[in-house]
Amino acid sequence: MAPIRSLLASRAVLAGLAALGCLGLLISTLDSDTRNSLSWKYNNNSNQSNRNVVNPENNQVNTIWEDANTPSSALGKTLSQYPGRKPRTVQAMIEKAEGYYQRIVRQRHANLQLQHFGTPNFNPWHVLMYYWWYFPASFVCPHDIQRVGPLSDGGKWICGMSLYEEQPRAKCVIYSFGINHETRFEGEMLDRTDCEIFAYDASVASMGPEATGPRSTFKPYFVGRTDHTDANGKVWKTLKTLMAENGHDWIDILKVDIEGSEFETFDAIMDDFGDVLPFSQLQMELHVREDMISFPDFLKWWERLESKGVYPWWTELNLNPTFSGDKDWASEYCFLNTRGGAKNLLIQNYV
């Protein structure tokens, strides 16, 4: 009888575990339904504070961060309003992603407080909250993602590459700031699309052989905060000036690798263009070495860029500095601009 009782007890234990598993699955399902019922604010009044404001007429999204104490359940438009209870359009994906992104912003500020930001004890390179962890690439590219250019430094992850391959030349414009003898990205874009490329770098004399031709324009200029000629005779121009000279009002892909000058350059861009920055996506290497920018200044700059509706969806560290024993102070970021209306190919609905 003892073996039988033991067998029965074992079966009872297994039945109990199975029941617990079913209960866990039910709870998981209910939790999923709860998450799916989150609602996203949808309001045309841009004068209201603490709102995620969407203008459905031109697909322009104006984000003003929610208060840090706002619960996630208060953020939104219910997903059940979309077919199949999942977002099916590009605009719906962007709206949903903005709601999630606000959680990241709240987590950032909570971690800054925990790590004593604003006091002498704050260290952005501390192992418990490492510099780049405050700035995760947590948005979404609502299209296909492809690597263009070399697998090493110089290659870029492009959002919606297939869209650019389908566009006629007049609708595809790329600006590239910072060449430094590496133009394989530009060369591949010329090979695979009808895009026109406008490249600028006063530190080199020309584009590489793979990126020359009738659709490639190169000028030995630096891009910066003002139009001027420096003491070394180098010409500096703002993005606004260059676009005016070229007759452009929109850029499909803006590539920036200018070794620390990106901060003052983008301050000028944000000053000159206001709430709608003139590009669909931004490929930019950020350099946060201490002699280039302080962490508080970088944080302020980053959050200003976010306030323009420009969000990161991909990142990869440039590990070259670590090979010489330095910190990993350079990182590539891919940003999506959620504004621009009909000019912005990446926020149009394709259903």
Side-chain angles (χ1 to χ4, degrees):
M1 293 297 292
I4 295 176
R5 284 196 299 269
S6 176
L7 178 61
L8 291 175
S10 298
R11 289 181 176 178
V13 170
L14 291 174
L17 291 174
L20 287 174
C22 291
L23 179 60
L25 178 61
L26 176 61
I27 292 174
S28 174
T29 302
L30 292 174
D31 185 58
S32 175
D33 288 340
T34 300
R35 289 195 300 270
N36 284 337
S37 67
L38 296 178
S39 58
W40 313 109
K41 293 180 180 175
Y42 200 89
N43 193 303
N44 287 335
N45 185 359
S46 60
N47 293 323
Q48 294 186 13
S49 60
N50 294 329
R51 296 281 181 175
N52 196 24
V53 184
V54 179
N55 183 345
E57 295 181 357
N58 65 1
N59 286 338
Q60 180 170 313
V61 180
N62 301 307
T63 298
I64 304 173
W65 298 124
E66 295 285 344
D67 183 83
N69 295 321
T70 302
S72 296
S73 59
L75 296 174
K77 192 174 184 183
T78 58
L79 298 185
S80 60
Q81 294 182 37
Y82 298 111
R85 301 196 66 190
K86 293 181 180 179
R88 298 298 188 189
T89 66
V90 169
Q91 189 60 38
M93 293 175 68
I94 290 174
E95 290 176 32
K96 179 183 177 185
E98 283 206 322
Y100 286 136
Y101 195 86
Q102 292 177 22
R103 295 178 179 177
I104 296 298
V105 174
R106 292 197 297 273
Q107 290 178 27
R108 177 193 303 152
H109 286 274
N111 277 298
L112 286 169
Q113 185 175 7
L114 287 173
Q115 299 302 320
H116 310 290
F117 178 67
T119 74
N121 293 326
F122 177 76
N123 177 10
W125 299 101
H126 196 282
V127 65
L128 294 179
M129 193 62 196
Y130 203 55
Y131 200 117
W132 297 113
W133 294 349
Y134 290 103
F135 311 102
S138 51
F139 206 68
V140 63
C141 163
H143 304 284
D144 61 308
I145 299 170
Q146 297 186 39
R147 179 78 175 189
V148 179
L151 297 180
S152 57
D153 190 25
K156 306 296 177 186
W157 292 100
I158 297 299
C159 176
M161 181 63 185
S162 61
L163 298 178
Y164 298 118
E165 291 177 310
E166 297 166 4
Q167 291 302 301
R169 182 183 309 172
K171 294 185 178 180
C172 181
V173 173
I174 300 172
Y175 275 43
S176 182
F177 297 134
I179 303 301
N180 194 27
H181 306 290
E182 174 50 78
T183 55
R184 284 177 288 175
F185 163 76
E186 290 81 0
E188 185 172 337
M189 291 301 298
L190 289 172
D191 287 342
R192 296 178 58 184
T193 74
D194 284 332
C195 296
E196 293 184 339
I197 293 181
F198 296 80
Y200 302 92
D201 191 337
S203 68
V204 295
S206 66
M207 297 278 278
E210 63 276 321
T212 57
R215 289 185 286 116
S216 178
T217 299
F218 172 81
K219 296 288 181 63
Y221 303 155
F222 285 134
V223 63
R225 190 175 185 87
T226 63
D227 298 329
H228 69 280
T229 301
D230 63 24
N232 297 318
K234 301 296 186 181
V235 176
W236 293 73
K237 294 193 177 185
T238 66
L239 177 63
K240 184 176 183 179
T241 295
L242 293 172
M243 291 180 68
E245 290 179 354
N246 296 325
H248 296 144
D249 63 359
W250 195 259
I251 300 168
D252 289 282
I253 301 173
L254 176 58
K255 192 203 88 170
V256 179
D257 186 357
I258 51 179
E259 306 304 322
S261 296
E262 60 268 18
F263 305 113
E264 64 174 19
T265 297
F266 260 81
D267 278 336
I269 292 172
M270 290 186 279
D271 289 342
D272 288 341
F273 291 95
D275 289 333
V276 181
L277 303 187
F279 52 80
S280 298
Q281 66 178 295
L282 170 65
Q283 308 290 327
M284 180 160 55
E285 184 169 50
L286 298 175
H287 307 80
V288 297
R289 205 172 60 210
E290 284 87 342
D291 61 343
M292 294 179 175
I293 191 169
S294 69
F295 183 91
D297 286 340
F298 178 77
L299 175 65
K300 181 180 178 180
W301 178 90
W302 177 276
E303 294 195 336
R304 189 185 182 198
L305 190 62
E306 289 175 327
S307 76
K308 306 295 184 181
V310 177
Y311 307 118
W313 57 268
W314 197 286
T315 186
E316 61 183 34
L317 288 176
N318 183 338
L319 296 177
N320 286 333
T322 65
F323 298 149
S324 59
D326 205 348
K327 300 168 183 173
D328 49 352
W329 47 260
S331 187
E332 298 273 2
Y333 273 90
C334 308
F335 297 87
L336 177 73
N337 188 354
T338 61
R339 304 178 185 177
K343 295 179 182 179
N344 189 342
L345 181 68
L346 298 182
I347 65 173
Q348 307 308 307
N349 292 328
Y350 295 89
V351 293

